[in-house]
Amino acid sequence: MARIAFILLCHKDPDAIIKQAERLTAAGDYMAIHFDARAKPAHFWAIRQALAGNPNVTFARKRIKCGWGEWSLVQATLNAVSAALEAFPRATHFYMLSGDCMAIKSAEYVHEFLDERDCDYVESFDFFESDWIKTGMKEDRLVYRHYFNERTQPKRYYWSYMAQKKLGLTRDVPADIQVQIGSQWWCLRRRTIEWIMEFTRTRKDVMAFFRTTWIPDETFFQTLVRHLVPEDEIKARTLTFLLFSDYGMPVTFYNDHYDLLLSQDFLFARKISPEAKELKSRLGALYAAEGVEFKVSNEGRSLYQFLTGRGRMGRRFGMRFWETESTLGRERELLIVICKKWHVAKRLLENVRQVTNIPAIEYLFNEESTPLPDLGGIQSTLGKRTRHRRALMRMLFDYFDSDRLIICLDPGAIDLLHDFCGDRSTTRLLEVECRFSDEYLTGHAMRVGLAGEQTSPETLERLLPTIRHDMTFESDAIRDASFENLNRMRETDSFESNAVSVSRFLGISQDKAHEIVSTDYLFAD
């Protein structure tokens, strides 16, 4: 059975560290602690005294003063790993933790999970080719030497950095090393850890290189694992669930996140709020429990992005400067069907095709697979279609040799509606309002990745009102825009009433419009 040596880097909250060590070692696992040398000595001695009688706990022999972005974090980790290797010869896995981490599965589940797969878990993606680094310094992390800490010595840090750039003092990455990058929260097998420690003793050139790279805790272990371990024995993922805000800050979990955390395909989570006493108590009891079945739906990241995005609905209403004279054509008429239920709009368009000869295209700005003619590549991706939307529409008018064209749009595409309605051409809108049952909203949440088959009823109960409000918000935004030539047909209205709206929208007789809307299953899910 897997026996884990937890590598704990911490610098505060001694009571929480003591409880964490006692909880994790009670299941038969081990822990090696590195407590930051910058922290209060009294806190360190309180931890040592409280855990002195626990044979499954050891401490790094040498404590390091740690600073964010520095080599000191890697050295502190190596010191704790070295202590764990020596103290716990029966440890099969080494799991990196912080004081803010807690298990979100039972010890029984964790051990079975590691027993089932003989591999190392570490995010490790090519430093230069991947897009893991979203903003800020990239290659300069490696090719220049970083002797000072940006946060504590910013003047020295940037003076040294700029001086090297001005003088061209770059350096090469060691020839046989392919630098990788990823999260520092890894879980490695004992054999891998032993190989890494041996590597640190024999490859002084690589060690010297990483000592002066910037933020080496995101590259050092990630690179060495790829260098030493066969690729088919590496899972490029972390087993610790963590989220980052749009501003690059770690997301903190609170008492009401218990069900969400348990449903994620991870073993631990970071960061747990120090004030989340109830959450900590429940997770602590869970770790010691036996026979617990976990329904893993793993919708955490998409759910967080969806919920946080509701408060930031910034949209671009104005045209780009090169588009101001790029009209679709004064003599042309663009007809847009707006509907959240795509299958309803597609049925409506099929009826329109049968009754009229107006060319019609479905969700070309929302659905990648929408059938389109070859227009020289501008139609190949959703990104290109949206960026060059006016050029695309002009080409489609020309392709169909028509001055009238129907397309479908999702109500969320309010920026496109503003853009097209601001054109010199005539734009007519038909908003199709549908009813949304809880069953439909649940299916929608699953289709877009906000929920899964294993999502708990409690999570769905909290999620559905937000999705419903989101759809209401989109419809309200269309109304608030006061678009000209806006018509509406509703699932709750009669065929006659909807036929009037379609007649105005398409400019056809009421009889033809009634033929289009009188399908009994038009609004069926």
Side-chain angles (χ1 to χ4, degrees):
M1 186 182 75
R3 300 287 295 274
I4 307 168
F6 292 103
I7 308 301
L8 180 65
L9 266 58
C10 47
H11 64 281
K12 61 180 180 180
D13 202 351
D15 292 337
I17 292 168
I18 293 167
K19 291 178 181 178
Q20 188 180 35
E22 291 174 341
R23 179 170 54 249
L24 294 179
T25 58
D29 293 314
Y30 313 103
M31 179 173 287
I33 299 174
H34 179 279
F35 195 75
D36 196 332
R38 296 183 189 275
K40 295 180 180 179
H43 287 176
F44 176 65
W45 290 112
I47 296 171
R48 291 215 62 152
Q49 185 176 6
L51 299 175
N54 190 331
N56 286 12
V57 175
T58 190
F59 293 85
R61 290 187 177 180
K62 184 177 181 180
R63 294 167 59 207
I64 304 294
K65 292 182 178 180
C66 296
W68 183 88
E70 295 179 0
W71 170 255
S72 56
L73 286 173
V74 177
Q75 188 60 61
T77 305
L78 291 172
N79 290 354
V81 166
S82 179
L85 278 172
E86 182 178 344
F88 311 126
R90 297 181 62 189
T92 60
H93 294 76
F94 292 71
Y95 197 121
M96 181 78 172
L97 287 178
S98 75
D100 298 319
C101 297
M102 284 199 71
I104 55 175
K105 298 290 188 293
S106 64
E108 180 180 64
Y109 182 98
V110 170
H111 293 144
E112 289 177 357
F113 183 96
L114 295 178
D115 282 335
E116 288 175 0
R117 305 161 180 85
D118 184 22
C119 62
D120 297 306
Y121 294 90
V122 56
E123 277 192 353
S124 52
F125 307 104
D126 187 277
F127 185 92
F128 297 100
E129 298 298 329
S130 73
D131 63 347
W132 198 88
I133 298 175
K134 302 298 183 184
T135 60
M137 186 184 295
K138 188 170 182 177
E139 291 186 19
D140 289 2
R141 289 191 188 191
L142 307 179
V143 300
Y144 296 108
R145 300 162 181 82
H146 301 273
Y147 299 106
F148 305 103
N149 187 292
E150 181 190 24
R151 294 186 175 182
T152 59
Q153 298 174 296
K155 290 184 179 180
R156 291 182 177 178
Y157 175 88
Y158 284 106
W159 175 85
S160 172
Y161 172 50
M162 297 307 297
Q164 292 180 72
K165 291 192 73 171
K166 186 175 182 179
L167 297 172
L169 300 178
T170 59
R171 60 177 177 175
D172 294 327
V173 176
D176 62 331
I177 294 294
Q178 185 176 2
V179 179
Q180 306 286 307
I181 192 166
S183 167
Q184 63 268 50
W185 310 110
W186 40 255
C187 177
L188 305 177
R189 295 168 296 176
R190 185 182 191 92
R191 183 186 65 181
T192 302
I193 287 291
E194 290 172 343
W195 285 348
I196 289 174
M197 297 307 291
E198 177 62 23
F199 186 94
T200 64
R201 291 187 287 268
T202 58
R203 289 297 301 272
K204 302 301 181 183
D205 59 323
V206 176
M207 297 298 287
F209 171 78
F210 277 108
R211 281 193 180 96
T212 52
T213 59
W214 185 234
I215 321 182
D217 54 313
E218 294 180 351
T219 55
F220 179 76
F221 288 97
Q222 297 79 355
T223 300
L224 265 58
V225 171
R226 284 285 178 186
H227 185 74
L228 298 169
V229 178
E231 183 175 359
D232 60 359
E233 296 181 21
I234 301 172
K235 297 290 186 184
R237 57 160 297 190
T238 175
L239 297 179
T240 298
F241 180 59
L242 64 161
L243 297 172
F244 288 92
S245 71
D246 292 346
Y247 307 101
M249 301 300 293
V251 173
T252 301
F253 299 108
Y254 296 93
N255 290 333
D256 56 350
H257 289 129
Y258 179 80
D259 292 326
L260 172 70
L261 293 176
L262 264 60
S263 67
Q264 304 313 303
D265 186 22
F266 295 86
L267 306 182
F268 283 76
R270 181 180 187 272
K271 292 181 158 184
I272 307 298
S273 170
E275 286 75 37
K277 306 295 184 183
E278 179 186 346
L279 177 60
K280 288 188 173 185
S281 175
R282 296 179 72 183
L283 291 177
L286 174 70
Y287 193 70
E290 296 181 357
V292 180
E293 293 187 8
F294 295 90
K295 296 181 178 180
V296 176
S297 54
N298 211 33
E299 76 284 0
R301 283 192 169 87
S302 57
L303 185 59
Y304 172 78
Q305 292 170 357
F306 170 74
L307 294 175
T308 55
R310 298 313 93 196
R312 293 188 293 277
M313 301 301 293
R315 294 179 172 94
R316 183 185 70 82
F317 295 154
M319 293 181 288
R320 294 176 173 90
F321 71 89
W322 63 82
E323 294 174 329
T324 54
E325 299 300 324
S326 181
T327 179
L328 302 184
R330 292 181 184 273
E331 73 287 356
R332 285 172 170 169
E333 189 174 41
L334 178 62
L335 308 170
I336 304 177
V337 176
I338 309 164
C339 186
K340 194 66 179 181
K341 290 187 176 181
W342 294 4
H343 59 282
V344 173
K346 291 177 181 180
R347 286 183 195 140
L348 182 65
L349 244 63
E350 184 56 36
N351 291 350
V352 171
R353 291 189 186 101
Q354 294 177 12
V355 175
T356 75
N357 60 353
I358 306 173
I361 303 175
E362 295 168 359
Y363 287 87
L364 74 166
F365 293 108
N366 304 108
E367 195 169 29
E368 193 93 54
S369 59
T370 298
L372 289 171
D374 186 355
L375 302 173
I378 194 174
Q379 83 293 342
S380 58
T381 66
L382 286 176
K384 285 186 177 181
R385 297 175 202 172
T386 303
R387 283 196 303 274
H388 309 293
R389 48 188 173 270
R390 293 199 175 191
L392 174 66
M393 297 310 300
R394 289 198 305 274
M395 294 172 76
L396 287 171
F397 276 109
D398 292 339
Y399 177 84
F400 289 109
D401 193 20
S402 172
D403 288 335
R404 305 187 80 199
L405 181 66
I406 307 175
I407 66 170
C408 294
L409 278 183
D410 186 273
I414 189 71
D415 55 340
L416 292 176
L417 291 173
H418 275 280
D419 200 356
F420 288 136
C421 288
D423 191 78
R424 295 171 183 172
S425 63
T426 300
T427 303
R428 299 186 183 277
L429 309 179
L430 176 67
E431 184 182 7
V432 183
E433 294 185 2
C434 305
R435 289 179 295 189
F436 301 106
S437 64
D438 287 350
E439 291 75 18
Y440 174 82
L441 293 179
T442 299
H444 174 76
M446 291 181 178
R447 285 190 293 273
V448 300
L450 297 175
E453 294 293 338
Q454 302 299 324
T455 301
S456 67
E458 293 80 9
T459 300
L460 285 172
E461 185 178 352
R462 292 196 296 270
L463 177 60
L464 293 188
T466 304
I467 299 177
R468 190 183 299 278
H469 179 269
D470 192 54
M471 293 180 177
T472 302
F473 173 86
E474 292 174 347
S475 183
D476 288 344
I478 293 173
R479 295 186 182 187
D480 293 342
S482 299
F483 293 122
E484 293 184 14
N485 302 318
L486 173 61
N487 303 276
R488 285 191 179 85
M489 61 178 291
R490 299 177 174 88
E491 182 175 359
T492 55
D493 287 354
S494 64
F495 288 148
E496 288 72 19
S497 176
N498 285 334
V500 171
S501 297
V502 172
S503 174
R504 287 199 301 260
F505 172 64
L506 294 176
I508 58 176
S509 68
Q510 293 250 6
D511 290 340
K512 287 187 176 181
H514 194 278
E515 186 179 347
I516 291 172
V517 302
S518 60
T519 305
D520 291 334
Y521 57 85
L522 179 62
F523 290 95
D525 290 333

